[in-house]
Short mmCIF file of all heavy atoms in Angstrom, two decimals:
data_model
loop_
_atom_site.label_atom_id
_atom_site.label_comp_id
_atom_site.label_asym_id
_atom_site.label_seq_id
_atom_site.Cartn_x
_atom_site.Cartn_y
_atom_site.Cartn_z
N SER A 1290 8.60 3.06 17.88
CA SER A 1290 9.08 3.99 16.84
C SER A 1290 10.12 4.94 17.30
O SER A 1290 11.05 5.41 16.52
CB SER A 1290 7.83 4.69 16.29
OG SER A 1290 7.08 5.40 17.22
N LYS A 1291 10.02 5.30 18.60
CA LYS A 1291 11.12 6.29 19.03
C LYS A 1291 12.39 5.56 19.43
O LYS A 1291 13.36 6.11 19.02
CB LYS A 1291 10.39 7.02 20.36
CG LYS A 1291 9.23 7.88 20.11
CD LYS A 1291 8.77 8.49 21.35
CE LYS A 1291 7.64 9.44 21.13
NZ LYS A 1291 7.06 10.05 22.41
N ALA A 1292 12.30 4.48 20.07
CA ALA A 1292 13.54 3.78 20.55
C ALA A 1292 14.31 3.24 19.30
O ALA A 1292 15.55 3.21 19.36
CB ALA A 1292 13.15 2.70 21.42
N VAL A 1293 13.60 2.73 18.27
CA VAL A 1293 14.30 2.25 17.08
C VAL A 1293 15.16 3.20 16.39
O VAL A 1293 16.19 2.91 15.85
CB VAL A 1293 13.23 1.58 16.10
CG1 VAL A 1293 12.50 2.70 15.40
CG2 VAL A 1293 13.96 0.65 15.13
N ALA A 1294 14.82 4.52 16.44
CA ALA A 1294 15.64 5.52 15.86
C ALA A 1294 16.99 5.74 16.48
O ALA A 1294 17.89 6.12 15.92
CB ALA A 1294 14.86 6.84 15.82
N ALA A 1295 17.01 5.34 17.81
CA ALA A 1295 18.22 5.57 18.57
C ALA A 1295 19.18 4.34 18.39
O ALA A 1295 20.39 4.41 18.89
CB ALA A 1295 17.92 5.69 20.11
N LEU A 1296 18.83 3.25 17.81
CA LEU A 1296 19.55 2.08 17.66
C LEU A 1296 20.74 2.40 16.70
O LEU A 1296 20.65 3.10 15.73
CB LEU A 1296 18.76 0.94 17.12
CG LEU A 1296 17.85 0.25 18.13
CD1 LEU A 1296 16.96 -0.79 17.34
CD2 LEU A 1296 18.51 -0.40 19.22
N PRO A 1297 21.90 1.85 16.94
CA PRO A 1297 23.09 1.97 16.05
C PRO A 1297 22.71 1.29 14.73
O PRO A 1297 21.89 0.35 14.60
CB PRO A 1297 24.22 1.35 16.77
CG PRO A 1297 23.68 0.44 17.78
CD PRO A 1297 22.43 1.13 18.13
N ALA A 1298 23.36 1.69 13.70
CA ALA A 1298 23.08 1.11 12.34
C ALA A 1298 23.17 -0.38 12.26
O ALA A 1298 22.35 -1.00 11.60
CB ALA A 1298 24.02 1.75 11.25
N SER A 1299 24.12 -0.93 13.02
CA SER A 1299 24.27 -2.37 12.97
C SER A 1299 23.17 -3.12 13.61
O SER A 1299 22.92 -4.38 13.39
CB SER A 1299 25.59 -2.75 13.64
OG SER A 1299 25.63 -2.37 14.97
N LEU A 1300 22.27 -2.47 14.48
CA LEU A 1300 21.29 -3.14 15.10
C LEU A 1300 19.89 -2.72 14.71
O LEU A 1300 18.88 -3.16 15.17
CB LEU A 1300 21.32 -2.88 16.61
CG LEU A 1300 22.57 -3.33 17.44
CD1 LEU A 1300 22.48 -2.98 18.93
CD2 LEU A 1300 22.61 -4.85 17.24
N LYS A 1301 19.80 -1.91 13.68
CA LYS A 1301 18.59 -1.47 13.13
C LYS A 1301 17.77 -2.68 12.41
O LYS A 1301 18.44 -3.42 11.75
CB LYS A 1301 18.72 -0.31 12.11
CG LYS A 1301 19.08 1.01 12.93
CD LYS A 1301 18.96 2.20 11.94
CE LYS A 1301 19.32 3.47 12.70
NZ LYS A 1301 18.36 3.78 13.73
N PRO A 1302 16.45 -2.73 12.66
CA PRO A 1302 15.78 -3.76 12.01
C PRO A 1302 15.78 -3.71 10.53
O PRO A 1302 15.83 -2.62 9.96
CB PRO A 1302 14.32 -3.52 12.52
CG PRO A 1302 14.40 -2.67 13.79
CD PRO A 1302 15.64 -1.87 13.42
N ASP A 1303 15.71 -4.89 9.86
CA ASP A 1303 15.67 -4.97 8.40
C ASP A 1303 14.41 -5.74 7.88
O ASP A 1303 14.54 -6.12 6.73
CB ASP A 1303 16.97 -5.42 7.82
CG ASP A 1303 17.19 -6.85 8.33
OD1 ASP A 1303 16.61 -7.35 9.25
OD2 ASP A 1303 18.21 -7.48 7.80
N VAL A 1304 13.49 -5.96 8.76
CA VAL A 1304 12.31 -6.70 8.27
C VAL A 1304 11.11 -5.91 8.90
O VAL A 1304 11.17 -5.38 10.02
CB VAL A 1304 12.25 -8.17 8.78
CG1 VAL A 1304 10.87 -8.72 8.64
CG2 VAL A 1304 13.34 -8.97 8.17
N VAL A 1305 10.03 -5.77 8.00
CA VAL A 1305 8.78 -5.13 8.53
C VAL A 1305 7.65 -6.25 8.41
O VAL A 1305 7.54 -6.91 7.41
CB VAL A 1305 8.40 -3.97 7.71
CG1 VAL A 1305 6.94 -3.50 7.99
CG2 VAL A 1305 9.37 -2.83 7.96
N LEU A 1306 6.96 -6.49 9.47
CA LEU A 1306 5.80 -7.38 9.56
C LEU A 1306 4.58 -6.53 9.39
O LEU A 1306 4.27 -5.77 10.36
CB LEU A 1306 5.81 -8.27 10.79
CG LEU A 1306 7.14 -9.02 11.02
CD1 LEU A 1306 7.00 -9.83 12.34
CD2 LEU A 1306 7.56 -9.97 9.87
N ARG A 1307 3.82 -6.67 8.38
CA ARG A 1307 2.55 -5.87 8.10
C ARG A 1307 1.47 -6.61 8.71
O ARG A 1307 1.04 -7.62 8.17
CB ARG A 1307 2.41 -5.52 6.73
CG ARG A 1307 1.23 -4.63 6.42
CD ARG A 1307 1.34 -4.09 4.96
NE ARG A 1307 2.52 -3.37 4.63
CZ ARG A 1307 3.02 -3.33 3.39
NH1 ARG A 1307 2.31 -3.89 2.41
NH2 ARG A 1307 4.09 -2.53 3.21
N LEU A 1308 0.93 -6.23 9.87
CA LEU A 1308 -0.11 -6.91 10.59
C LEU A 1308 -1.51 -6.28 10.38
O LEU A 1308 -1.69 -5.30 9.61
CB LEU A 1308 0.15 -7.06 12.14
CG LEU A 1308 1.58 -7.46 12.45
CD1 LEU A 1308 1.79 -7.39 13.99
CD2 LEU A 1308 1.86 -8.82 11.92
N ALA A 1309 -2.52 -6.88 11.03
CA ALA A 1309 -3.89 -6.39 10.84
C ALA A 1309 -4.06 -5.03 11.36
O ALA A 1309 -4.81 -4.17 10.84
CB ALA A 1309 -4.89 -7.33 11.35
N ASP A 1310 -3.32 -4.74 12.48
CA ASP A 1310 -3.57 -3.49 13.18
C ASP A 1310 -2.29 -2.60 13.37
O ASP A 1310 -2.45 -1.43 13.85
CB ASP A 1310 -4.07 -3.71 14.61
CG ASP A 1310 -3.42 -4.90 15.38
OD1 ASP A 1310 -2.42 -5.42 14.76
OD2 ASP A 1310 -3.66 -5.16 16.47
N ARG A 1311 -1.16 -3.01 12.78
CA ARG A 1311 0.03 -2.20 12.89
C ARG A 1311 1.12 -2.78 12.07
O ARG A 1311 1.00 -3.91 11.63
CB ARG A 1311 0.43 -1.94 14.32
CG ARG A 1311 0.92 -3.12 15.03
CD ARG A 1311 1.50 -2.82 16.37
NE ARG A 1311 2.82 -2.16 16.35
CZ ARG A 1311 3.53 -1.88 17.30
NH1 ARG A 1311 3.15 -2.14 18.57
NH2 ARG A 1311 4.62 -1.25 17.24
N GLU A 1312 2.20 -2.12 11.87
CA GLU A 1312 3.46 -2.66 11.35
C GLU A 1312 4.47 -2.77 12.42
O GLU A 1312 4.63 -1.89 13.29
CB GLU A 1312 3.93 -1.71 10.20
CG GLU A 1312 3.04 -1.77 9.01
CD GLU A 1312 3.74 -1.07 7.82
OE1 GLU A 1312 4.77 -0.31 7.97
OE2 GLU A 1312 3.16 -1.05 6.76
N VAL A 1313 5.21 -3.81 12.41
CA VAL A 1313 6.17 -4.19 13.46
C VAL A 1313 7.57 -4.42 12.72
O VAL A 1313 7.62 -5.04 11.65
CB VAL A 1313 5.87 -5.42 14.25
CG1 VAL A 1313 6.90 -5.71 15.21
CG2 VAL A 1313 4.40 -5.18 14.89
N LYS A 1314 8.60 -3.99 13.28
CA LYS A 1314 9.92 -4.07 12.79
C LYS A 1314 10.69 -5.22 13.46
O LYS A 1314 10.52 -5.38 14.72
CB LYS A 1314 10.80 -2.81 12.77
CG LYS A 1314 10.18 -1.72 11.91
CD LYS A 1314 10.99 -0.42 11.94
CE LYS A 1314 10.41 0.69 11.10
NZ LYS A 1314 11.18 1.95 11.19
N ALA A 1315 11.54 -5.96 12.78
CA ALA A 1315 12.23 -7.07 13.40
C ALA A 1315 13.48 -7.25 12.71
O ALA A 1315 13.89 -6.56 11.71
CB ALA A 1315 11.48 -8.38 13.44
N HIS A 1316 14.38 -8.29 13.01
CA HIS A 1316 15.64 -8.38 12.58
C HIS A 1316 15.78 -9.74 11.84
O HIS A 1316 15.40 -10.78 12.44
CB HIS A 1316 16.73 -8.50 13.67
CG HIS A 1316 16.82 -7.10 14.40
ND1 HIS A 1316 15.87 -6.89 15.44
CD2 HIS A 1316 17.59 -6.06 14.38
CE1 HIS A 1316 16.11 -5.67 15.92
NE2 HIS A 1316 17.10 -5.11 15.24
N SER A 1317 16.15 -9.73 10.53
CA SER A 1317 16.26 -10.96 9.69
C SER A 1317 17.16 -12.04 10.34
O SER A 1317 16.93 -13.14 10.29
CB SER A 1317 16.62 -10.68 8.37
OG SER A 1317 17.96 -10.18 8.33
N VAL A 1318 18.24 -11.50 10.94
CA VAL A 1318 19.30 -12.53 11.44
C VAL A 1318 18.69 -13.30 12.67
O VAL A 1318 18.95 -14.46 12.83
CB VAL A 1318 20.57 -11.71 11.94
CG1 VAL A 1318 20.21 -10.74 13.12
CG2 VAL A 1318 21.59 -12.66 12.26
N VAL A 1319 17.77 -12.66 13.45
CA VAL A 1319 17.15 -13.36 14.50
C VAL A 1319 15.99 -14.27 14.02
O VAL A 1319 15.81 -15.45 14.39
CB VAL A 1319 16.63 -12.44 15.57
CG1 VAL A 1319 15.81 -13.13 16.64
CG2 VAL A 1319 17.67 -11.50 16.15
N LEU A 1320 15.17 -13.79 13.06
CA LEU A 1320 14.09 -14.45 12.53
C LEU A 1320 14.49 -15.73 11.87
O LEU A 1320 13.93 -16.84 12.09
CB LEU A 1320 13.22 -13.59 11.58
CG LEU A 1320 12.61 -12.37 12.17
CD1 LEU A 1320 11.83 -11.56 11.17
CD2 LEU A 1320 11.66 -12.80 13.32
N ARG A 1321 15.53 -15.67 10.98
CA ARG A 1321 15.99 -16.83 10.24
C ARG A 1321 16.69 -17.84 11.14
O ARG A 1321 16.76 -19.07 10.81
CB ARG A 1321 16.77 -16.46 9.07
CG ARG A 1321 18.06 -15.74 9.39
CD ARG A 1321 18.72 -15.27 8.04
NE ARG A 1321 19.93 -14.50 8.21
CZ ARG A 1321 20.64 -13.81 7.27
NH1 ARG A 1321 20.04 -13.79 6.09
NH2 ARG A 1321 21.68 -13.23 7.63
N ALA A 1322 17.34 -17.42 12.16
CA ALA A 1322 18.00 -18.31 13.14
C ALA A 1322 17.09 -19.07 13.99
O ALA A 1322 17.39 -20.18 14.43
CB ALA A 1322 19.04 -17.52 13.98
N ARG A 1323 15.89 -18.46 14.28
CA ARG A 1323 14.92 -19.03 15.35
C ARG A 1323 13.65 -19.45 14.73
O ARG A 1323 12.84 -20.13 15.38
CB ARG A 1323 14.79 -17.98 16.38
CG ARG A 1323 15.95 -17.65 17.17
CD ARG A 1323 16.11 -18.53 18.38
NE ARG A 1323 14.99 -18.35 19.28
CZ ARG A 1323 14.36 -19.41 19.87
NH1 ARG A 1323 14.71 -20.60 19.69
NH2 ARG A 1323 13.35 -19.07 20.68
N CYS A 1324 13.41 -19.20 13.47
CA CYS A 1324 12.16 -19.52 12.83
C CYS A 1324 12.34 -20.17 11.49
O CYS A 1324 12.90 -19.52 10.54
CB CYS A 1324 11.26 -18.27 12.77
SG CYS A 1324 9.64 -18.57 12.09
N THR A 1325 11.85 -21.40 11.32
CA THR A 1325 12.02 -22.14 10.08
C THR A 1325 11.35 -21.43 8.96
O THR A 1325 11.90 -21.51 7.79
CB THR A 1325 11.48 -23.57 10.20
OG1 THR A 1325 12.13 -24.22 11.37
CG2 THR A 1325 11.76 -24.44 8.93
N PHE A 1326 10.23 -20.88 9.12
CA PHE A 1326 9.41 -20.17 8.08
C PHE A 1326 10.25 -19.14 7.43
O PHE A 1326 10.42 -18.99 6.18
CB PHE A 1326 8.16 -19.55 8.74
CG PHE A 1326 7.33 -18.80 7.78
CD1 PHE A 1326 6.31 -19.40 7.05
CD2 PHE A 1326 7.53 -17.39 7.64
CE1 PHE A 1326 5.46 -18.66 6.25
CE2 PHE A 1326 6.71 -16.68 6.77
CZ PHE A 1326 5.66 -17.32 6.04
N PHE A 1327 10.89 -18.23 8.26
CA PHE A 1327 11.68 -17.16 7.64
C PHE A 1327 13.10 -17.74 7.21
O PHE A 1327 13.56 -17.21 6.23
CB PHE A 1327 11.95 -16.10 8.74
CG PHE A 1327 10.71 -15.32 9.10
CD1 PHE A 1327 10.09 -15.50 10.33
CD2 PHE A 1327 10.29 -14.34 8.27
CE1 PHE A 1327 8.89 -14.78 10.64
CE2 PHE A 1327 9.01 -13.59 8.51
CZ PHE A 1327 8.46 -13.90 9.74
N ALA A 1328 13.58 -18.85 7.82
CA ALA A 1328 14.92 -19.28 7.35
C ALA A 1328 14.72 -19.82 5.96
O ALA A 1328 15.68 -19.64 5.13
CB ALA A 1328 15.21 -20.46 8.27
N MET A 1329 13.54 -20.38 5.57
CA MET A 1329 13.39 -20.90 4.19
C MET A 1329 13.47 -19.72 3.19
O MET A 1329 14.06 -19.89 2.14
CB MET A 1329 12.12 -21.68 4.04
CG MET A 1329 12.06 -22.96 4.86
SD MET A 1329 10.64 -23.90 4.52
CE MET A 1329 9.33 -22.92 5.04
N PHE A 1330 12.81 -18.56 3.49
CA PHE A 1330 12.87 -17.51 2.59
C PHE A 1330 14.26 -16.92 2.43
O PHE A 1330 14.81 -16.61 1.38
CB PHE A 1330 11.85 -16.41 3.02
CG PHE A 1330 10.49 -16.79 2.94
CD1 PHE A 1330 9.52 -16.84 3.94
CD2 PHE A 1330 10.01 -17.09 1.64
CE1 PHE A 1330 8.28 -17.14 3.72
CE2 PHE A 1330 8.65 -17.45 1.37
CZ PHE A 1330 7.74 -17.51 2.41
N PHE A 1331 14.98 -16.59 3.64
CA PHE A 1331 16.24 -15.96 3.52
C PHE A 1331 17.41 -16.93 3.09
O PHE A 1331 18.39 -16.47 2.89
CB PHE A 1331 16.51 -15.38 4.87
CG PHE A 1331 15.78 -14.16 5.24
CD1 PHE A 1331 14.73 -14.20 6.16
CD2 PHE A 1331 15.91 -12.88 4.48
CE1 PHE A 1331 13.94 -13.01 6.42
CE2 PHE A 1331 15.23 -11.80 4.78
CZ PHE A 1331 14.20 -11.86 5.74
N ALA A 1332 17.07 -18.17 2.97
CA ALA A 1332 18.15 -19.14 2.57
C ALA A 1332 18.39 -18.93 1.10
O ALA A 1332 19.49 -19.29 0.59
CB ALA A 1332 17.60 -20.63 2.76
N ASP A 1333 17.47 -18.36 0.40
CA ASP A 1333 17.62 -18.16 -1.12
C ASP A 1333 18.16 -16.63 -1.33
O ASP A 1333 17.27 -15.73 -1.22
CB ASP A 1333 16.35 -18.29 -1.78
CG ASP A 1333 16.53 -18.15 -3.39
OD1 ASP A 1333 17.57 -17.71 -3.74
OD2 ASP A 1333 15.55 -18.48 -4.09
#
């Protein structure tokens, strides 16, 4: 949570994964490039 605030705007996460014990931020450009599950959603 502290380090993400220091990221430049172009590198800030644009996805939140709501888990059982916490929320995690990630990047859609990485998720859809490396994971078919997310690629199917972001393809539309």
Side-chain angles (χ1 to χ4, degrees):
S1290 57
K1291 294 182 178 179
V1293 71
L1296 289 173
S1299 59
L1300 295 180
K1301 286 191 180 298
D1303 59 348
V1304 170
V1305 171
L1306 307 179
R1307 187 173 295 159
L1308 309 180
D1310 47 358
R1311 63 174 291 182
E1312 290 188 353
V1313 178
K1314 296 181 179 180
H1316 301 81
S1317 63
V1318 65
V1319 178
L1320 296 179
R1321 63 188 180 190
R1323 296 271 295 136
C1324 179
T1325 303
F1326 178 89
F1327 291 104
M1329 290 190 299
F1330 287 122
F1331 286 108
D1333 183 352

